[in-house]
Amino acid sequence: MPALMICELLGVPYEDHDRFQSSTRALPDAGSAEAQYAAFVELGTCLRGLALAKRAKPTDDLPSDLATGGDLTDEELGGVAAFLLGAGLDTTADMLALGTFALLRDPAQLTALRGAPGLAADTVEELLRYLSVAATGMRGVLEDVEVGGRRLRAGDTVVIAINTANRDPARFADPDVLDLRRSAAGHLAFGHGVHQCLGRQLARLEMRVAFPVLLVRFPALRLAVPAEELSLRTDPSQVYGGTACPSPGIGGERDANLRLGDGAA
């Protein structure tokens, strides 16, 4: 769903969706620096081509609006599209996957959401706090300031541990517990102030729709393998998410992470 939403926002032709998605997914899991650079170049080529197409023949989408209503160069327009695609696809997709995983590991919370779809908004905020898929952020200090007894000088770089802040016991009671009925207001999953994620409302909307619908559509959804068999990205410099999840498949294949069960529609 996030891929479809971003591709629609960017006006990516339907026949090019797979190419754009595969190029974007290759970035965090490319492995070596050379492979990551190759994936970045491939994505940049795709998006520069998209920018040129929108300038030549505008359609009803964001790049066309920027191309016809502003003074962005083709390179800048492609950069904006690359940022939107990268920021809006992987993060939301990982939140949907990890959020489902977290709910399946906690039957009480899963039952609560099944019984009260109106909890969707609170569920999304609590999962954002609990999972914090963007674990860290970097900021530059603009002027000398003291924070928490530490003196920071103008020009210093500060690494912010978003995942730690979102589990601060001074702000959230029992922070390591998933509680869909708590008020998670004030979490920093989307940043803060002028640095808040521009796409946060779109991401929230996608998740508020997806989680309840998923549970209704697949009432017997469950993990196919023990939770410890899932392979996750844990490097704080990357978006937290899954890389691979083995499960028994047809003919010995191991390629799925969830089973739909007998009750799947």
Side-chain angles (χ1 to χ4, degrees):
M1 185 173 72
L4 289 174
M5 291 295 294
I6 293 298
C7 284
E8 286 295 321
L9 183 66
L10 294 178
V12 177
Y14 182 79
E15 60 272 18
D16 291 335
H17 280 197
D18 287 344
R19 181 187 177 197
F20 275 72
Q21 291 174 39
S22 62
S23 296
T24 304
R25 291 195 188 102
L27 286 172
D29 299 321
S32 68
E34 292 79 7
Q36 288 185 333
Y37 180 73
F40 180 79
V41 170
E42 168 65 17
L43 181 60
T45 300
C46 291
L47 292 171
R48 279 192 294 276
L50 178 67
L52 290 172
K54 298 303 179 182
R55 197 179 294 282
K57 189 176 181 180
T59 50
D60 184 18
D61 48 62
L62 181 59
S64 294
D65 289 345
L66 293 175
T68 58
D71 55 0
L72 294 179
T73 66
D74 292 338
E75 192 74 21
E76 290 169 336
L77 188 58
V80 170
F83 177 80
L84 290 172
L85 185 63
L89 175 57
D90 203 31
T91 49
T92 309
D94 282 328
M95 269 301 306
L96 287 169
L98 289 176
T100 302
F101 174 52
L103 290 170
L104 291 174
R105 294 188 69 189
D106 194 326
Q109 300 303 308
L110 182 67
T111 299
L113 180 57
R114 283 190 193 277
L119 271 178
D122 289 339
T123 294
V124 169
E125 299 308 312
E126 172 64 354
L127 288 171
L128 285 164
R129 179 202 70 81
Y130 183 75
L131 295 169
S132 300
V133 296
T136 61
M138 298 181 68
R139 297 289 182 265
V141 179
L142 298 180
E143 58 185 43
D144 293 356
V145 64
E146 185 173 309
V147 179
R150 290 290 190 94
R151 187 69 176 175
L152 303 177
R153 303 291 183 183
D156 286 348
T157 298
V158 178
V159 177
I160 303 168
I162 296 171
N163 53 349
T164 301
N166 280 343
R167 295 202 181 195
D168 181 359
R171 176 64 183 83
F172 303 103
D174 297 320
D176 295 330
V177 173
L178 179 67
D179 181 1
L180 304 187
R181 297 187 183 277
R182 85 161 78 232
S183 173
H187 69 74
L188 300 179
F190 288 123
H192 181 71
V194 296
H195 296 291
Q196 277 196 302
C197 171
L198 293 177
R200 62 190 182 278
Q201 301 301 0
L202 176 60
R204 282 185 167 116
L205 179 60
E206 291 180 47
M207 289 185 280
R208 288 173 184 174
V209 170
F211 285 124
V213 169
L214 180 68
L215 299 183
V216 171
R217 180 70 175 82
F218 301 111
L221 187 69
R222 65 189 187 277
L223 291 174
V225 296
E228 58 270 17
E229 290 191 27
L230 284 110
S231 176
L232 301 174
R233 292 191 299 271
T234 57
D235 184 340
S237 67
Q238 295 183 327
V239 174
Y240 177 45
T243 58
C245 179
S247 71
I250 297 174
E253 294 180 0
R254 298 169 67 81
D255 56 5
N257 58 351
L258 300 173
R259 281 186 182 157
L260 303 182
D262 297 335

